[in-house]
Amino acid sequence: MIFITVKFPVRPELSAQWLDIVRDFTEATRAEPGNLFFDWSRSVADPNEYVLVEGFRDGEAGRAHVESAHFRQAMETLAGAVAAKPRIISVDLPDRSGWDEMGEITPREA
């Protein structure tokens, strides 16, 4: 599995619109056959920063993603919405197909 986390510093005047700006990109990526997850969160420390957590089945699926027309279009669109270059962590995790359950916590009965 290719596991990627990207921090996007968004222009303050566009921060409230970010999820609308990335909607088509998000939907197209989630529809890719090799995509495992593609999830956005807003930073609690900086309201102008969004964090993307994404996973792809393998290197081939990751390559197909960055070579797709929707990826190229998104990079063009997002260049006008970011305040600085996004920061990324990308790792290849062998023998993984997604999320595991966390063993250290179990919900209590209400």
Side-chain angles (χ1 to χ4, degrees), residues 15-38:
S15 189
Q17 302 166 40
W18 182 256
L19 294 178
D20 290 329
I21 293 168
V22 299
R23 178 173 284 116
D24 291 344
F25 177 47
T26 299
E27 291 174 1
T29 301
R30 287 177 177 168
E32 293 175 17
N35 179 254
L36 301 172
F37 48 88
F38 196 83

PDB file of all heavy atoms in Angstrom, residues 15-38:
ATOM      1  N   SER A  15     -10.135  29.414   2.351  1.00  0.00           N
ATOM      2  CA  SER A  15     -10.162  28.315   3.303  1.00  0.00           C
ATOM      3  C   SER A  15     -11.561  27.730   3.514  1.00  0.00           C
ATOM      4  O   SER A  15     -11.734  26.518   3.544  1.00  0.00           O
ATOM      5  CB  SER A  15      -9.577  28.775   4.631  1.00  0.00           C
ATOM      6  OG  SER A  15      -9.404  27.685   5.488  1.00  0.00           O
ATOM      7  N   ALA A  16     -12.547  28.572   3.638  1.00  0.00           N
ATOM      8  CA  ALA A  16     -13.917  28.089   3.865  1.00  0.00           C
ATOM      9  C   ALA A  16     -14.470  27.360   2.648  1.00  0.00           C
ATOM     10  O   ALA A  16     -15.402  26.554   2.773  1.00  0.00           O
ATOM     11  CB  ALA A  16     -14.833  29.249   4.237  1.00  0.00           C
ATOM     12  N   GLN A  17     -13.907  27.596   1.478  1.00  0.00           N
ATOM     13  CA  GLN A  17     -14.379  26.977   0.235  1.00  0.00           C
ATOM     14  C   GLN A  17     -13.571  25.745  -0.169  1.00  0.00           C
ATOM     15  O   GLN A  17     -13.859  25.118  -1.191  1.00  0.00           O
ATOM     16  CB  GLN A  17     -14.291  27.998  -0.904  1.00  0.00           C
ATOM     17  CG  GLN A  17     -15.070  29.265  -0.691  1.00  0.00           C
ATOM     18  CD  GLN A  17     -14.649  30.322  -1.698  1.00  0.00           C
ATOM     19  OE1 GLN A  17     -14.428  30.030  -2.859  1.00  0.00           O
ATOM     20  NE2 GLN A  17     -14.512  31.555  -1.235  1.00  0.00           N
ATOM     21  N   TRP A  18     -12.535  25.397   0.595  1.00  0.00           N
ATOM     22  CA  TRP A  18     -11.594  24.360   0.181  1.00  0.00           C
ATOM     23  C   TRP A  18     -12.273  23.049  -0.218  1.00  0.00           C
ATOM     24  O   TRP A  18     -11.947  22.459  -1.258  1.00  0.00           O
ATOM     25  CB  TRP A  18     -10.556  24.116   1.272  1.00  0.00           C
ATOM     26  CG  TRP A  18      -9.542  23.087   0.874  1.00  0.00           C
ATOM     27  CD1 TRP A  18      -9.464  21.798   1.295  1.00  0.00           C
ATOM     28  CD2 TRP A  18      -8.456  23.272  -0.048  1.00  0.00           C
ATOM     29  NE1 TRP A  18      -8.400  21.169   0.708  1.00  0.00           N
ATOM     30  CE2 TRP A  18      -7.773  22.053  -0.122  1.00  0.00           C
ATOM     31  CE3 TRP A  18      -8.008  24.352  -0.808  1.00  0.00           C
ATOM     32  CZ2 TRP A  18      -6.650  21.868  -0.923  1.00  0.00           C
ATOM     33  CZ3 TRP A  18      -6.886  24.173  -1.611  1.00  0.00           C
ATOM     34  CH2 TRP A  18      -6.227  22.947  -1.667  1.00  0.00           C
ATOM     35  N   LEU A  19     -13.188  22.549   0.591  1.00  0.00           N
ATOM     36  CA  LEU A  19     -13.810  21.265   0.269  1.00  0.00           C
ATOM     37  C   LEU A  19     -14.622  21.335  -1.020  1.00  0.00           C
ATOM     38  O   LEU A  19     -14.720  20.335  -1.746  1.00  0.00           O
ATOM     39  CB  LEU A  19     -14.646  20.759   1.440  1.00  0.00           C
ATOM     40  CG  LEU A  19     -13.832  20.400   2.693  1.00  0.00           C
ATOM     41  CD1 LEU A  19     -14.744  19.950   3.818  1.00  0.00           C
ATOM     42  CD2 LEU A  19     -12.754  19.356   2.385  1.00  0.00           C
ATOM     43  N   ASP A  20     -15.172  22.495  -1.338  1.00  0.00           N
ATOM     44  CA  ASP A  20     -15.837  22.672  -2.631  1.00  0.00           C
ATOM     45  C   ASP A  20     -14.800  22.693  -3.761  1.00  0.00           C
ATOM     46  O   ASP A  20     -15.031  22.128  -4.832  1.00  0.00           O
ATOM     47  CB  ASP A  20     -16.648  23.967  -2.658  1.00  0.00           C
ATOM     48  CG  ASP A  20     -17.869  23.905  -1.757  1.00  0.00           C
ATOM     49  OD1 ASP A  20     -18.429  22.804  -1.574  1.00  0.00           O
ATOM     50  OD2 ASP A  20     -18.258  24.963  -1.227  1.00  0.00           O
ATOM     51  N   ILE A  21     -13.676  23.338  -3.521  1.00  0.00           N
ATOM     52  CA  ILE A  21     -12.613  23.428  -4.527  1.00  0.00           C
ATOM     53  C   ILE A  21     -12.085  22.044  -4.885  1.00  0.00           C
ATOM     54  O   ILE A  21     -11.802  21.756  -6.046  1.00  0.00           O
ATOM     55  CB  ILE A  21     -11.477  24.355  -4.030  1.00  0.00           C
ATOM     56  CG1 ILE A  21     -11.975  25.800  -3.929  1.00  0.00           C
ATOM     57  CG2 ILE A  21     -10.246  24.259  -4.929  1.00  0.00           C
ATOM     58  CD1 ILE A  21     -11.043  26.739  -3.188  1.00  0.00           C
ATOM     59  N   VAL A  22     -11.954  21.154  -3.904  1.00  0.00           N
ATOM     60  CA  VAL A  22     -11.384  19.820  -4.137  1.00  0.00           C
ATOM     61  C   VAL A  22     -12.438  18.740  -4.366  1.00  0.00           C
ATOM     62  O   VAL A  22     -12.088  17.565  -4.519  1.00  0.00           O
ATOM     63  CB  VAL A  22     -10.435  19.400  -2.982  1.00  0.00           C
ATOM     64  CG1 VAL A  22      -9.267  20.370  -2.865  1.00  0.00           C
ATOM     65  CG2 VAL A  22     -11.179  19.273  -1.660  1.00  0.00           C
ATOM     66  N   ARG A  23     -13.705  19.109  -4.430  1.00  0.00           N
ATOM     67  CA  ARG A  23     -14.780  18.105  -4.545  1.00  0.00           C
ATOM     68  C   ARG A  23     -14.624  17.196  -5.765  1.00  0.00           C
ATOM     69  O   ARG A  23     -14.645  15.964  -5.646  1.00  0.00           O
ATOM     70  CB  ARG A  23     -16.153  18.772  -4.566  1.00  0.00           C
ATOM     71  CG  ARG A  23     -17.287  17.736  -4.737  1.00  0.00           C
ATOM     72  CD  ARG A  23     -18.668  18.317  -4.600  1.00  0.00           C
ATOM     73  NE  ARG A  23     -18.898  18.537  -3.171  1.00  0.00           N
ATOM     74  CZ  ARG A  23     -19.073  19.736  -2.617  1.00  0.00           C
ATOM     75  NH1 ARG A  23     -19.086  20.818  -3.344  1.00  0.00           N
ATOM     76  NH2 ARG A  23     -19.251  19.837  -1.321  1.00  0.00           N
ATOM     77  N   ASP A  24     -14.468  17.747  -6.968  1.00  0.00           N
ATOM     78  CA  ASP A  24     -14.356  16.919  -8.171  1.00  0.00           C
ATOM     79  C   ASP A  24     -13.120  16.022  -8.109  1.00  0.00           C
ATOM     80  O   ASP A  24     -13.183  14.841  -8.466  1.00  0.00           O
ATOM     81  CB  ASP A  24     -14.310  17.781  -9.429  1.00  0.00           C
ATOM     82  CG  ASP A  24     -15.632  18.476  -9.720  1.00  0.00           C
ATOM     83  OD1 ASP A  24     -16.677  18.077  -9.156  1.00  0.00           O
ATOM     84  OD2 ASP A  24     -15.618  19.429 -10.526  1.00  0.00           O
ATOM     85  N   PHE A  25     -12.007  16.582  -7.652  1.00  0.00           N
ATOM     86  CA  PHE A  25     -10.770  15.817  -7.507  1.00  0.00           C
ATOM     87  C   PHE A  25     -10.960  14.659  -6.527  1.00  0.00           C
ATOM     88  O   PHE A  25     -10.564  13.518  -6.798  1.00  0.00           O
ATOM     89  CB  PHE A  25      -9.661  16.766  -7.041  1.00  0.00           C
ATOM     90  CG  PHE A  25      -8.337  16.119  -6.769  1.00  0.00           C
ATOM     91  CD1 PHE A  25      -7.767  15.225  -7.655  1.00  0.00           C
ATOM     92  CD2 PHE A  25      -7.625  16.449  -5.621  1.00  0.00           C
ATOM     93  CE1 PHE A  25      -6.517  14.647  -7.402  1.00  0.00           C
ATOM     94  CE2 PHE A  25      -6.379  15.897  -5.366  1.00  0.00           C
ATOM     95  CZ  PHE A  25      -5.829  14.994  -6.252  1.00  0.00           C
ATOM     96  N   THR A  26     -11.597  14.946  -5.406  1.00  0.00           N
ATOM     97  CA  THR A  26     -11.838  13.933  -4.384  1.00  0.00           C
ATOM     98  C   THR A  26     -12.722  12.820  -4.931  1.00  0.00           C
ATOM     99  O   THR A  26     -12.407  11.625  -4.785  1.00  0.00           O
ATOM    100  CB  THR A  26     -12.478  14.581  -3.137  1.00  0.00           C
ATOM    101  OG1 THR A  26     -11.570  15.562  -2.618  1.00  0.00           O
ATOM    102  CG2 THR A  26     -12.789  13.552  -2.066  1.00  0.00           C
ATOM    103  N   GLU A  27     -13.819  13.170  -5.555  1.00  0.00           N
ATOM    104  CA  GLU A  27     -14.743  12.158  -6.089  1.00  0.00           C
ATOM    105  C   GLU A  27     -14.080  11.310  -7.169  1.00  0.00           C
ATOM    106  O   GLU A  27     -14.243  10.086  -7.192  1.00  0.00           O
ATOM    107  CB  GLU A  27     -16.004  12.831  -6.614  1.00  0.00           C
ATOM    108  CG  GLU A  27     -16.861  13.413  -5.503  1.00  0.00           C
ATOM    109  CD  GLU A  27     -18.049  14.223  -6.003  1.00  0.00           C
ATOM    110  OE1 GLU A  27     -18.251  14.333  -7.239  1.00  0.00           O
ATOM    111  OE2 GLU A  27     -18.783  14.744  -5.141  1.00  0.00           O
ATOM    112  N   ALA A  28     -13.321  11.940  -8.064  1.00  0.00           N
ATOM    113  CA  ALA A  28     -12.649  11.194  -9.132  1.00  0.00           C
ATOM    114  C   ALA A  28     -11.592  10.257  -8.558  1.00  0.00           C
ATOM    115  O   ALA A  28     -11.454   9.109  -9.007  1.00  0.00           O
ATOM    116  CB  ALA A  28     -12.030  12.157 -10.139  1.00  0.00           C
ATOM    117  N   THR A  29     -10.853  10.719  -7.563  1.00  0.00           N
ATOM    118  CA  THR A  29      -9.821   9.876  -6.964  1.00  0.00           C
ATOM    119  C   THR A  29     -10.446   8.708  -6.227  1.00  0.00           C
ATOM    120  O   THR A  29      -9.979   7.570  -6.345  1.00  0.00           O
ATOM    121  CB  THR A  29      -8.930  10.703  -6.019  1.00  0.00           C
ATOM    122  OG1 THR A  29      -8.321  11.757  -6.763  1.00  0.00           O
ATOM    123  CG2 THR A  29      -7.850   9.833  -5.384  1.00  0.00           C
ATOM    124  N   ARG A  30     -11.502   8.947  -5.475  1.00  0.00           N
ATOM    125  CA  ARG A  30     -12.159   7.851  -4.748  1.00  0.00           C
ATOM    126  C   ARG A  30     -12.728   6.802  -5.695  1.00  0.00           C
ATOM    127  O   ARG A  30     -12.885   5.642  -5.322  1.00  0.00           O
ATOM    128  CB  ARG A  30     -13.261   8.409  -3.851  1.00  0.00           C
ATOM    129  CG  ARG A  30     -12.715   9.137  -2.635  1.00  0.00           C
ATOM    130  CD  ARG A  30     -13.818   9.737  -1.803  1.00  0.00           C
ATOM    131  NE  ARG A  30     -13.281  10.364  -0.593  1.00  0.00           N
ATOM    132  CZ  ARG A  30     -13.988  11.154   0.189  1.00  0.00           C
ATOM    133  NH1 ARG A  30     -15.254  11.435  -0.092  1.00  0.00           N
ATOM    134  NH2 ARG A  30     -13.426  11.687   1.261  1.00  0.00           N
ATOM    135  N   ALA A  31     -13.011   7.185  -6.940  1.00  0.00           N
ATOM    136  CA  ALA A  31     -13.550   6.249  -7.940  1.00  0.00           C
ATOM    137  C   ALA A  31     -12.450   5.442  -8.637  1.00  0.00           C
ATOM    138  O   ALA A  31     -12.757   4.493  -9.365  1.00  0.00           O
ATOM    139  CB  ALA A  31     -14.373   7.012  -8.974  1.00  0.00           C
ATOM    140  N   GLU A  32     -11.187   5.779  -8.426  1.00  0.00           N
ATOM    141  CA  GLU A  32     -10.094   5.027  -9.043  1.00  0.00           C
ATOM    142  C   GLU A  32     -10.082   3.606  -8.485  1.00  0.00           C
ATOM    143  O   GLU A  32     -10.229   3.406  -7.284  1.00  0.00           O
ATOM    144  CB  GLU A  32      -8.749   5.693  -8.750  1.00  0.00           C
ATOM    145  CG  GLU A  32      -8.570   7.035  -9.397  1.00  0.00           C
ATOM    146  CD  GLU A  32      -7.266   7.707  -8.976  1.00  0.00           C
ATOM    147  OE1 GLU A  32      -6.360   7.018  -8.446  1.00  0.00           O
ATOM    148  OE2 GLU A  32      -7.167   8.935  -9.163  1.00  0.00           O
ATOM    149  N   PRO A  33      -9.879   2.606  -9.348  1.00  0.00           N
ATOM    150  CA  PRO A  33      -9.897   1.223  -8.863  1.00  0.00           C
ATOM    151  C   PRO A  33      -8.837   0.913  -7.809  1.00  0.00           C
ATOM    152  O   PRO A  33      -9.065   0.080  -6.935  1.00  0.00           O
ATOM    153  CB  PRO A  33      -9.667   0.379 -10.125  1.00  0.00           C
ATOM    154  CG  PRO A  33      -9.420   1.305 -11.236  1.00  0.00           C
ATOM    155  CD  PRO A  33      -9.670   2.714 -10.777  1.00  0.00           C
ATOM    156  N   GLY A  34      -7.693   1.596  -7.835  1.00  0.00           N
ATOM    157  CA  GLY A  34      -6.628   1.321  -6.874  1.00  0.00           C
ATOM    158  C   GLY A  34      -6.644   2.183  -5.637  1.00  0.00           C
ATOM    159  O   GLY A  34      -5.791   2.044  -4.765  1.00  0.00           O
ATOM    160  N   ASN A  35      -7.634   3.080  -5.517  1.00  0.00           N
ATOM    161  CA  ASN A  35      -7.695   3.950  -4.340  1.00  0.00           C
ATOM    162  C   ASN A  35      -8.342   3.210  -3.177  1.00  0.00           C
ATOM    163  O   ASN A  35      -9.404   2.609  -3.323  1.00  0.00           O
ATOM    164  CB  ASN A  35      -8.487   5.227  -4.647  1.00  0.00           C
ATOM    165  CG  ASN A  35      -8.570   6.130  -3.430  1.00  0.00           C
ATOM    166  OD1 ASN A  35      -9.605   6.227  -2.796  1.00  0.00           O
ATOM    167  ND2 ASN A  35      -7.479   6.783  -3.105  1.00  0.00           N
ATOM    168  N   LEU A  36      -7.703   3.266  -2.015  1.00  0.00           N
ATOM    169  CA  LEU A  36      -8.244   2.646  -0.806  1.00  0.00           C
ATOM    170  C   LEU A  36      -8.981   3.658   0.063  1.00  0.00           C
ATOM    171  O   LEU A  36      -9.988   3.343   0.688  1.00  0.00           O
ATOM    172  CB  LEU A  36      -7.117   1.992   0.002  1.00  0.00           C
ATOM    173  CG  LEU A  36      -6.319   0.912  -0.741  1.00  0.00           C
ATOM    174  CD1 LEU A  36      -5.116   0.480   0.092  1.00  0.00           C
ATOM    175  CD2 LEU A  36      -7.213  -0.269  -1.068  1.00  0.00           C
ATOM    176  N   PHE A  37      -8.452   4.882   0.145  1.00  0.00           N
ATOM    177  CA  PHE A  37      -9.103   5.964   0.884  1.00  0.00           C
ATOM    178  C   PHE A  37      -8.496   7.285   0.455  1.00  0.00           C
ATOM    179  O   PHE A  37      -7.374   7.342  -0.042  1.00  0.00           O
ATOM    180  CB  PHE A  37      -9.001   5.773   2.410  1.00  0.00           C
ATOM    181  CG  PHE A  37      -7.609   5.447   2.903  1.00  0.00           C
ATOM    182  CD1 PHE A  37      -6.713   6.452   3.231  1.00  0.00           C
ATOM    183  CD2 PHE A  37      -7.204   4.130   3.057  1.00  0.00           C
ATOM    184  CE1 PHE A  37      -5.435   6.152   3.687  1.00  0.00           C
ATOM    185  CE2 PHE A  37      -5.928   3.822   3.517  1.00  0.00           C
ATOM    186  CZ  PHE A  37      -5.044   4.839   3.827  1.00  0.00           C
ATOM    187  N   PHE A  38      -9.279   8.352   0.633  1.00  0.00           N
ATOM    188  CA  PHE A  38      -8.871   9.699   0.236  1.00  0.00           C
ATOM    189  C   PHE A  38      -9.690  10.646   1.104  1.00  0.00           C
ATOM    190  O   PHE A  38     -10.828  10.970   0.788  1.00  0.00           O
ATOM    191  CB  PHE A  38      -9.184   9.907  -1.258  1.00  0.00           C
ATOM    192  CG  PHE A  38      -8.501  11.081  -1.889  1.00  0.00           C
ATOM    193  CD1 PHE A  38      -7.195  10.980  -2.341  1.00  0.00           C
ATOM    194  CD2 PHE A  38      -9.172  12.275  -2.070  1.00  0.00           C
ATOM    195  CE1 PHE A  38      -6.570  12.054  -2.963  1.00  0.00           C
ATOM    196  CE2 PHE A  38      -8.562  13.355  -2.685  1.00  0.00           C
ATOM    197  CZ  PHE A  38      -7.258  13.247  -3.134  1.00  0.00           C
TER     198      PHE A  38
END
